[in-house]
Amino acid sequence: MASSTGELQVNDCLLDTTVARTAGWTTVQVKGEVDLLTAPALRAAVSDGLTRLPSPAVVVVDLTGVTFLGCTGIGVLVDAGLRARERGGAMVVSCPGGTASRRIFTLLGLDGVLTLIENLDDLDGVI
């Protein structure tokens, strides 16, 4: 449901996503568990983020509040990153070092495929 501030929020009992447009990019904030059941909500939120800005779009996915990231969620993020590149844009994933999400990206070698940052304060050096 869109609000007057331009935010889209999807609430699932296990996952909460908020899409907000900021100066020059769209942020998708994700909280909770991303698994087979909730991955469609993540896909919808990231897709909304990709379509909010004209090409080339920059989408920042904030996984700071994610407590579980399963393989289906990882697939959603990799696919979204590829779609952003196809449009001439970029996708940045914010997940702090030492978290389970960051370890999964590193173990799978996806830290070389996706642009990963520690926190949203690091955006200035990436965008």
Side-chain angles (χ1 to χ4, degrees), residues 11-16 31-35 37-38 67:
N11 293 310
D12 183 293
C13 60
L14 299 175
L15 185 72
D16 179 37
K31 295 179 182 177
E33 300 178 9
V34 183
D35 57 17
L37 178 66
T38 61
T67 56

Side-chain angles (χ1 to χ4, degrees), residues 59-73:
V59 175
V60 179
V61 181
D62 182 5
L63 299 181
T64 305
V66 170
T67 56
F68 176 81
L69 181 62
C71 60
T72 307

Side-chain angles (χ1 to χ4, degrees), residues 117 120-127:
I117 58 173
L120 296 178
D121 293 334
D122 296 337
L123 278 174
D124 289 335
V126 177
I127 295 180

Side-chain angles (χ1 to χ4, degrees), residues 63-105:
L63 299 181
T64 305
V66 170
T67 56
F68 176 81
L69 181 62
C71 60
T72 307
I74 293 166
V76 167
L77 294 171
V78 170
D79 180 58
L82 294 172
R83 286 187 297 138
R85 281 193 206 121
E86 286 173 358
R87 296 183 64 201
M91 188 179 83
V92 177
V93 179
S94 174
C95 59
T99 62
S101 299
R102 186 58 160 252
R103 285 191 302 272
I104 290 169
F105 289 127

